[in-house]
Amino acid sequence: MTEARWKSYTARDFSTLSYMSSHQSDHCEEAVIIIHGITAELTEQKKFASACRRDADVFLPVLRGYDHKNKRGDLDYIGQYDDDLFDFIHYIKKKGYKRITLMGHSMGCANLLRLIKKNPAIGDAYIFTAPFFHPAVPVYKNEASDPSGEGDDVEYTVYTKKVMVLMTLYKMNVHRFEKASAAEIPDEFASTGRLSLSFRLLVSRFPEKVTPALLKGVQAPVTIAVGSEDEVIEAEKLKKWAEDIWDRPVDILPGADHNDILYDAGFHKIIHEMDGSVSEKTLQ
């Protein structure tokens, strides 16, 4: 795997958006596209790329509002991430890759569900890693719903009560408050320390509801993995929930936590050995 490099692409609104790429070789036929969580976790994503055993190039699009390419901590409209990610996937496909594997980490798994809802065949394989699908899914620890900002991995703050009020207004078609700050995260792209995220940015990261139908039409291989030491997710609860709701298995990685699962050897063995059909299916 070569060293990660920063590049950019142009979205449909002509905005310039950043992405990080790591290339395995000059002849890879597969691209792995990672959708990051509430923070980009750049160090861990680089480690994922280095540990990846798939014969694939790895791409990490930095979501709009996180870096300095556009306005910070905000979007132009609710749902803009769907458009940005579809644009990025199309941009990568045009490079000639025959297979596209889409992977979400943490809250990125919720964005992946949004994409799948709109197009269940958008990828040739799907990987949900330490998934934060929706705050209403009953598998998350208390500190994940209303974190204090303390601890190794739960370093963000969501203004839960404020979000509930803003969501009520949004459902009443009152849109004037959508720019209001709804969360605060560590700022990976500036020395200011913290970055505020708007309500419309945060709500654009989740499906409205997580239903059994979301994965019903997916024919491609699906892997769901969580670490036994995850600080955000109750691993056994997630396993039972996914089996009950989606009839999908969950791999629990012994000793892995919310972030270091990205470079856990057991996790990379699992995704290396995903359903063999992924190596045979080609994009139409």
Side-chain angles (χ1 to χ4, degrees), residues 2 13 20 34 121 126 140 148 186 196 208 266:
T2 62
D13 67 343
M20 186 170 64
I34 307 172
Y126 302 105
Y140 302 112
S148 64
S196 292
E208 185 175 347

Side-chain angles (χ1 to χ4, degrees), residues 64-103:
R64 184 188 298 258
Y66 282 80
D67 65 7
H68 291 281
K69 292 287 186 182
N70 299 279
K71 60 186 172 184
R72 308 211 67 211
D74 193 19
L75 304 176
D76 294 326
Y77 54 88
I78 290 176
Q80 192 169 22
Y81 281 146
D82 301 337
D83 294 339
D84 287 346
L85 289 167
F86 277 122
D87 290 347
F88 185 72
I89 293 166
H90 180 68
Y91 168 78
I92 295 300
K93 284 181 179 179
K94 286 176 62 179
K95 291 181 176 293
Y97 293 100
K98 295 182 178 180
R99 297 182 300 277
I100 301 291
T101 293
L102 299 178
M103 172 176 149

Side-chain angles (χ1 to χ4, degrees), residues 2-277:
T2 62
E3 183 178 352
R5 295 182 179 180
W6 284 103
K7 299 182 180 180
S8 62
Y9 73 104
T10 303
R12 66 186 65 185
D13 67 343
F14 302 106
S15 295
T16 298
L17 302 176
S18 301
Y19 69 95
M20 186 170 64
S21 67
S22 298
H23 293 271
Q24 191 81 264
S25 71
D26 294 331
H27 307 289
C28 289
E29 296 186 339
E30 180 183 11
V32 175
I33 298 174
I34 307 172
I35 307 174
H36 65 72
I38 194 169
T39 56
E41 304 292 355
L42 297 177
T43 300
E44 281 74 14
Q45 304 294 358
K46 290 176 182 178
K47 291 179 181 178
F48 170 87
S50 295
C52 187
R53 294 169 56 186
R54 297 176 75 87
D55 185 18
D57 295 334
V58 179
F59 299 90
L60 176 79
V62 176
L63 297 180
R64 184 188 298 258
Y66 282 80
D67 65 7
H68 291 281
K69 292 287 186 182
N70 299 279
K71 60 186 172 184
R72 308 211 67 211
D74 193 19
L75 304 176
D76 294 326
Y77 54 88
I78 290 176
Q80 192 169 22
Y81 281 146
D82 301 337
D83 294 339
D84 287 346
L85 289 167
F86 277 122
D87 290 347
F88 185 72
I89 293 166
H90 180 68
Y91 168 78
I92 295 300
K93 284 181 179 179
K94 286 176 62 179
K95 291 181 176 293
Y97 293 100
K98 295 182 178 180
R99 297 182 300 277
I100 301 291
T101 293
L102 299 178
M103 172 176 149
H105 174 238
S106 192
M107 197 177 286
C109 296
N111 282 103
L112 183 50
L113 285 181
R114 288 179 62 104
L115 298 183
I116 290 172
K117 182 179 180 181
K118 292 187 175 184
N119 182 358
I122 188 66
D124 289 284
Y126 302 105
I127 305 169
F128 296 96
T129 312
F132 196 95
F133 291 124
H134 194 282
V137 175
V139 303
Y140 302 112
K141 300 179 180 180
N142 291 335
E143 55 268 34
S145 300
D146 189 16
S148 64
E150 300 173 355
D152 292 334
D153 292 283
V154 185
E155 296 180 340
Y156 56 87
T157 301
V158 177
Y159 309 132
T160 308
K161 293 180 180 179
K162 185 177 181 181
V163 169
M164 292 173 65
V165 172
L166 292 169
M167 179 60 73
T168 300
L169 292 171
Y170 170 68
K171 289 182 177 180
M172 294 171 62
N173 287 320
V174 178
H175 302 293
R176 61 182 295 186
F177 302 109
E178 290 176 2
K179 293 182 182 180
S181 177
E184 191 176 273
I185 64 171
D187 193 343
E188 297 177 74
F189 298 92
S191 58
T192 53
R194 306 289 286 180
L195 176 65
S196 292
L197 305 181
S198 70
F199 168 76
R200 62 186 176 188
L201 183 153
L202 196 63
V203 77
S204 295
R205 303 224 53 189
F206 294 106
E208 185 175 347
K209 294 181 180 179
V210 178
T211 66
L214 279 177
L215 292 185
K216 186 176 181 180
V218 173
Q219 301 300 315
V222 173
T223 290
I224 306 173
V226 64
S228 65
E229 305 305 311
D230 196 296
E231 304 88 343
V232 175
I233 304 164
E234 296 281 3
E236 292 294 342
K237 287 184 179 180
L238 175 65
K239 182 179 179 69
K240 183 178 186 305
W241 178 87
E243 290 172 349
D244 291 346
I245 299 297
W246 288 331
D247 193 27
R248 300 277 183 173
V250 174
D251 291 298
I252 300 178
L253 283 302
D257 66 25
H258 194 68
N259 284 342
D260 68 19
I261 189 174
L262 287 168
Y263 45 93
D264 179 85
F267 171 61
H268 281 276
K269 183 175 187 294
I270 288 169
I271 63 174
H272 178 64
E273 298 173 353
M274 283 177 69
D275 190 337
S277 63

